[in-house]
Amino acid sequence: MWREALPSGNGKIGAAVYGGIKDETILLNHEELWHLGQKDVVPDVKHTLAETREMMSRGEYLAASWNLTNALKEKGYKTRLASRLPLGALKLRMPCENAFRNYKRMLDMETGEVTVKWEDGGNVYERSLFVSRADDLIAYQITSDHAPIQASIQLALHNSDGGKLSDQYPSLVEYSAVKAKAPYYYYAAKNEDGRDFGAVLRIIPTEGQMKDKDNWIQCTDTEKMLILVKAFAGGERKKEWQRLTNELANIELNYEQLLHRHAEIHGPLFRSSEIELTDMDDPRSNEELLLEAYRGEAALSLIEKMWSYGRYLFISGTRSEGQPFGLYGLWYGDYRLMWGHHMANENIQMMYWHANVGGLSEFVPALFHYYDQMMDDFRNNANKLYGCRGIFIPAGTTPGIGVPNQIVPVIMNWTGAAGWLARHYYEYCLFTGDQAFLKEKVLPFMREAALFYEDFLVLGDDGYYKMYPSVSPENTPENHMPKAGQPLAHPMPTTVNATMDFAIIKELFTHLIEGSRVVGENSPKIEQWEKMLERIPTYQVNEDGAIREWMHPDFDDRYDHRHLSHIYPIFPGQEFTREEDPPLFAAFETAVRKRLIGAQTGWSLVHMASIYARLGDGDQALECLNILARSCLLNNFFTLHNDWRDMGICMNTPTAPVQMDANLGWIHAVQEMLIYVSPTVVKLLPALPSKWKQGKVKDMCFTTGKISFSWDKEARRFAGKLVAERETMITLILPEFCEYDSLADKYNSVARSALAPNRFDIRIKSGETLFLQSS
């Protein structure tokens, strides 16, 4: 199945190798291929805001929740998000004379090469594939150690899980075409926009014969064969076929040379940051590691491998100038996938949390390019839906469809997407130091997000802002759940003063003020934003000692839910630390611990792991990863939304779609246990699990440099190296299990903090290096 295939990609083209012997399928995808979307004109329904607020003021919350949604439906508004469209499939057939032995399928994450190897009788066969970043092609090699290779090859539309393609998407089948003309094979189909997509394949055997038969190319009596594939996602097929044929004809390199060119680009990206939790290579397969995880605890090697694999998927599934990483990466194998769009009430953010600290900032601009292209839609949304200036970003979007689409209250009444995304814009500038980008792109985006809130917020009689309608994704207050316990997904999510909304607003205006001053903009707006910050109400604590999810007495906390939106002030936000406000920090911690494990999903478990790491509880953070490892991992380590086996340790749903947000969220959770980074503080091993007794970290990033370190907790040893890439002024907090008596004496630029013996104030210039060593 495509969900179990091994992935390769160059950020633009994805290939997923099934690993069959007799009948092999390699799924092919292109980042630009989408279909089935419908974009309607947004009707003017801004009058509903006053109506909704009046209903809420009377306590008619359920009716208010549906007011905007029903107005859009009554206008006949029917925008539908697009779906990913598979490019096609490379099909291979080879005879099998004997039952196979010693089968292996492997992925080399350092090179992106997928290999399938087996024995048939006394012969060893091997097939290897990668998608080249250097030459923008798929290279596929088949070798045999003794017997000559007999193989048939073709390109075709990829099959659907739902049945015959001719029944589901007849136009795709009707306008598809193939042409075998050895050594080339041509394939094309037509998208609903009238543009063609497809590929050209070239076969290069070392010897033997080739012939065309029944839309296949048959190859016989060769010891080795190289198959090269180039794809296109738009245009006219005949012109694209000719262009790609010319490009393929000019390639004179062999497989090993092509792989070397690709690995020279891919390898440094993959190794931009490294971790080591065990000092030995674990030879066990994925399946063996999963069997151990099912006993309750994931092996250290599995923790390591999942961290590396998430980075591999990210590097292979997106690029700085292309589409942002999607929930299926570049390895989706059907035509109308569940939740295949970009979702900004949690998921797309999670997939980028790891990037800056992990040394992959260069990939983050894809996120900005994507949303920047739809700003006109977002401005129109704000005006037509709410009568506000600025921008309203719907939670769900696909390329070119930035208008409301999921017409339900839990989505339509949530206004926090733009503010949450603004955090990623601003954080990118903190790590890159790109002040031109800050001035030209980031601050204008943030100002538009702020404009919406300037118009939307209502000043109450008590002098504080009232935010309504307000949603805490995607939860319903306990006292508004159906009394009969009907299994409704989002019974009544629309509230007043969701904690998350105010946390996002506080963060947005704080960053706007800071960023404006960094670039020398002393606008009168700064004073206005400062006054707005003063009018945001303080967070509230409930009778259980937990932070309230809704800062209004009409809404009771509900712990039986997967989202942890109200924890935003401490994660992913960095509003304050435990040291700065211990009682309030403890209330957030209580709220997390009261969340029910059985209500979680793959992505929420890694979110929870990151929160526990931010709380300093490494063992509980690791336990969240342990639960994920035994519930939501396929054998190829793709993460799923939920446990398809319904074993009772996470949310039960009839389907368990692939959702790679958890793959990428795993990266961040591990990094959060190893290093905490803010613009002013770097804390090393802030949430070290008790089982991680020793390890190494290489080239993790803080906002102005890189840091590498190693530790041995039992030997009470710690060593590291901090390199400043720009002028650096930070507080460095080192692990408490060691002493560092000589550090401040060794460097004039290091001063021990009076707050704790393991805290140091660092002031160094660009290019300088500090060596850290325990006493």
Side-chain angles (χ1 to χ4, degrees):
M1 298 172 62
W2 64 266
R3 294 169 182 82
E4 301 172 298
L6 291 184
S8 184
N10 64 1
K12 178 181 178 183
I13 304 293
V17 180
Y18 280 41
I21 292 176
K22 181 179 179 181
D23 291 298
E24 173 68 298
T25 297
I26 298 167
L27 167 66
L28 308 177
N29 285 322
H30 193 292
E31 64 173 352
E32 295 178 8
L33 280 178
W34 298 76
H35 71 149
L36 305 179
Q38 175 183 318
K39 184 176 180 180
D40 281 3
V41 174
V42 179
D44 191 336
V45 291
K46 63 172 69 79
H47 65 277
T48 61
L49 179 59
E51 297 169 355
T52 298
R53 287 174 170 168
E54 179 60 29
M55 292 178 194
M56 297 182 84
S57 297
R58 296 195 299 265
E60 299 169 2
Y61 294 117
L62 184 58
S65 184
W66 283 93
N67 192 43
L68 171 59
T69 294
N70 287 339
L72 287 172
K73 289 182 175 181
E74 288 166 6
K75 296 279 188 179
Y77 181 74
K78 294 182 179 179
T79 285
R80 180 178 65 241
L81 290 174
S83 288
R84 299 278 193 175
L85 172 59
L87 176 80
L90 192 163
K91 300 283 191 177
L92 176 73
R93 292 176 179 170
M94 289 177 64
C96 296
E97 297 180 359
N98 302 279
F100 69 86
R101 292 177 181 270
N102 295 322
Y103 173 91
K104 294 181 181 179
R105 63 173 189 154
M106 298 163 284
L107 166 62
D108 185 338
M109 292 185 280
E110 296 236 3
T111 63
E113 184 182 35
V114 177
T115 301
V116 178
K117 189 175 183 179
W118 74 98
E119 293 178 16
D120 186 337
N123 304 311
V124 178
Y125 294 93
E126 186 171 311
R127 303 184 192 136
S128 300
L129 175 145
F130 68 93
V131 186
S132 174
R133 295 193 92 96
D135 298 293
D136 196 24
L137 57 76
I138 299 163
Y140 187 35
Q141 179 171 264
I142 307 171
T143 63
S144 169
D145 68 338
H146 289 103
I149 296 168
Q150 323 292 332
S152 299
I153 301 104
Q154 74 167 189
L155 293 170
L157 285 166
H158 190 261
N159 293 333
S160 169
D161 293 344
K164 288 185 178 180
L165 273 179
S166 56
D167 294 337
Q168 299 180 79
Y169 309 103
S171 64
L172 268 180
V173 177
E174 180 182 356
Y175 294 106
S176 66
V178 297
K179 183 172 67 171
K181 191 175 181 180
Y184 293 96
Y185 196 102
Y186 301 92
Y187 155 74
K190 190 180 293 294
N191 204 347
E192 59 190 21
D193 62 4
R195 299 194 305 159
D196 290 331
F197 62 91
V200 178
L201 175 152
R202 178 190 175 194
I203 302 173
I204 309 171
T206 55
E207 54 192 24
Q209 295 82 40
M210 284 188 288
K211 66 177 181 179
D212 312 330
K213 185 176 181 181
D214 300 328
N215 291 328
W216 291 79
I217 296 180
Q218 294 182 341
C219 301
T220 57
D221 300 325
T222 180
E223 293 180 359
K224 179 188 296 186
M225 59 189 301
L226 174 61
I227 300 171
L228 303 177
V229 182
K230 278 185 169 272
F232 66 96
E236 195 276 316
R237 64 185 65 185
K238 290 185 178 179
K239 291 180 180 178
E240 294 300 310
W241 282 351
Q242 187 59 57
R243 177 178 67 84
L244 297 182
T245 299
N246 293 338
E247 292 179 10
L248 289 170
N250 290 327
I251 294 174
E252 298 179 352
L253 302 176
N254 62 30
Y255 180 88
E256 289 73 20
Q257 291 168 328
L258 289 167
L259 179 59
H260 178 73
R261 282 167 53 83
H262 162 71
E264 283 189 319
I265 303 172
H266 174 95
L269 293 171
F270 181 72
R271 295 187 298 271
S272 62
S273 184
E274 300 176 38
I275 68 167
E276 185 178 304
L277 301 178
T278 175
D279 57 2
M280 62 184 70
D281 292 331
D282 191 332
R284 288 179 293 176
S285 67
N286 290 12
E287 289 82 357
E288 292 171 296
L289 291 171
L290 285 173
L291 283 173
E292 179 171 337
Y294 296 155
R295 298 189 187 104
E297 293 184 0
L300 286 178
S301 54
L302 175 57
I303 301 294
E304 269 185 21
K305 185 177 284 192
M306 284 293 293
W307 179 84
S308 297
Y309 187 51
R311 286 169 55 84
Y312 169 80
L313 292 173
F314 185 69
I315 291 164
S316 304
T318 186
R319 57 197 181 107
S320 61
E321 66 276 19
Q323 288 286 321
F325 195 91
L327 285 166
Y328 292 84
L330 283 174
W331 306 284
Y332 36 90
D334 214 345
Y335 293 80
R336 192 64 174 171
L337 289 166
M338 187 174 185
W339 303 328
H341 51 272
H342 296 300
M343 194 68 175
N345 71 353
E346 167 81 19
N347 313 89
I348 200 168
Q349 290 94 336
M350 174 179 286
M351 293 190 287
Y352 281 84
W353 285 341
H354 68 93
N356 292 308
V357 171
L360 296 174
S361 292
E362 66 183 84
F363 288 85
V364 179
L367 193 64
F368 312 145
H369 301 330
Y370 172 75
Y371 284 104
D372 286 349
Q373 291 169 2
M374 295 183 282
M375 289 294 283
D376 287 343
D377 278 351
F378 302 154
R379 295 184 187 102
N380 190 52
N381 295 340
N383 178 39
K384 293 290 183 64
L385 299 176
Y386 291 110
C388 295
R389 297 170 298 165
I391 56 176
F392 170 83
I393 299 180
T397 58
T398 51
I401 303 180
V403 296
N405 44 79
Q406 298 154 295
I407 312 303
V408 289
V410 71
I411 300 299
M412 290 306 309
N413 296 328
W414 184 64
T415 59
W420 192 347
L421 288 165
R423 173 177 182 80
H424 289 263
Y425 282 70
Y426 192 69
E427 191 175 50
Y428 172 78
C429 291
L430 291 176
F431 277 83
T432 62
D434 191 340
Q435 291 195 20
F437 187 77
L438 174 63
K439 185 172 184 176
E440 295 164 12
K441 286 288 186 182
V442 176
L443 288 174
F445 179 88
M446 294 170 70
R447 282 194 290 266
E448 296 225 45
L451 267 179
F452 179 86
Y453 290 124
E454 289 175 25
D455 291 350
F456 189 82
L457 291 170
V458 176
L459 193 62
D461 294 337
D462 58 359
Y464 290 99
Y465 284 125
K466 185 177 181 180
M467 177 86 176
Y468 69 128
S470 183
V471 171
S472 187
E474 297 170 359
N475 203 359
T476 289
E478 185 64 40
N479 57 323
H480 290 271
M481 290 294 292
K483 303 307 179 191
Q486 300 97 315
L488 302 177
H490 316 293
M492 209 300 292
T494 307
T495 65
V496 180
N497 289 3
T499 296
M500 181 199 207
D501 276 333
F502 278 127
I504 288 174
I505 293 168
K506 289 174 76 173
E507 179 181 78
L508 173 66
F509 285 121
T510 299
H511 287 167
L512 256 177
I513 294 166
E514 292 175 355
S516 298
R517 287 173 173 159
V518 165
V519 299
E521 292 183 1
N522 295 314
S523 165
K525 296 284 284 188
I526 292 179
E527 184 177 351
Q528 177 186 348
W529 295 329
E530 288 175 332
K531 289 181 179 178
M532 291 183 72
L533 283 172
E534 294 172 0
R535 292 167 176 165
I536 293 176
T538 57
Y539 302 126
Q540 298 176 8
V541 179
N542 68 17
E543 61 277 8
D544 296 326
I547 205 73
R548 287 181 59 88
E549 193 159 350
W550 300 276
M551 297 155 57
H552 190 281
D554 287 355
F555 308 101
D556 295 341
D557 285 294
R558 176 174 172 239
Y559 303 129
D560 188 9
H561 203 262
R562 62 199 176 278
H563 278 264
L564 290 149
S565 307
H566 56 313
I567 312 301
Y568 192 103
I570 62 169
F571 181 82
Q574 295 175 303
E575 190 174 323
F576 64 95
T577 64
R578 189 188 296 274
E579 292 81 4
E580 291 167 333
D581 194 335
L584 188 58
F585 198 89
F588 281 93
E589 184 170 7
T590 299
V592 177
R593 297 189 186 279
K594 284 190 169 293
R595 263 328 196 239
L596 301 182
I597 288 295
Q600 303 312 305
T601 63
W603 62 260
S604 73
L605 284 167
V606 293
H607 189 167
M608 189 177 283
S610 290
I611 293 175
Y612 275 121
R614 188 64 60 89
L615 294 171
D617 190 340
D619 285 339
Q620 194 58 45
L622 182 58
E623 177 60 13
C624 291
L625 300 186
N626 287 333
I627 294 170
L628 174 63
R630 62 181 185 266
S631 60
C632 299
L633 274 189
L634 291 176
N635 287 8
N636 64 350
F637 286 168
F638 283 179
T639 52
L640 302 177
H641 175 268
N642 56 281
D643 185 353
W644 75 101
R645 296 160 298 199
D646 290 342
M647 300 292 278
I649 59 173
C650 71
M651 182 180 178
N652 287 351
T653 64
T655 55
V658 170
Q659 299 282 263
M660 293 184 185
D661 45 6
N663 279 114
L664 275 56
W666 185 296
I667 313 171
H668 183 269
V670 170
Q671 289 175 184
E672 192 75 36
M673 294 182 227
L674 297 172
I675 182 171
Y676 169 82
V677 175
S678 79
T680 58
V681 175
V682 174
K683 187 173 184 178
L684 304 183
L685 304 181
L688 187 66
S690 56
K691 293 184 180 295
W692 296 7
K693 299 185 183 303
Q694 59 185 22
K696 296 178 182 178
V697 169
K698 181 181 178 183
D699 289 340
M700 290 285 184
C701 297
F702 56 97
T703 55
T704 56
K706 291 183 178 181
I707 191 162
S708 302
F709 54 91
S710 63
W711 74 94
D712 187 325
K713 192 170 182 180
E714 292 182 339
R716 300 175 65 84
R717 287 199 301 266
F718 180 89
K721 180 178 71 171
L722 183 150
V723 179
E725 296 179 331
R726 300 194 305 280
E727 185 175 359
T728 294
M729 295 179 289
I730 58 169
T731 295
L732 179 66
I733 305 175
L734 298 176
E736 294 181 350
F737 59 78
C738 291
E739 296 180 355
Y740 311 92
D741 294 337
S742 63
L743 188 57
D745 299 331
K746 187 175 180 180
Y747 298 102
N748 293 328
S749 53
V750 176
R752 189 186 293 273
S753 169
L755 297 176
N758 63 324
R759 294 173 65 103
F760 299 88
D761 295 323
I762 310 293
R763 304 289 185 272
I764 56 176
K765 298 178 181 178
S766 176
E768 291 186 342
T769 299
L770 293 182
F771 292 94
L772 314 171
Q773 186 72 48
S774 58
S775 302

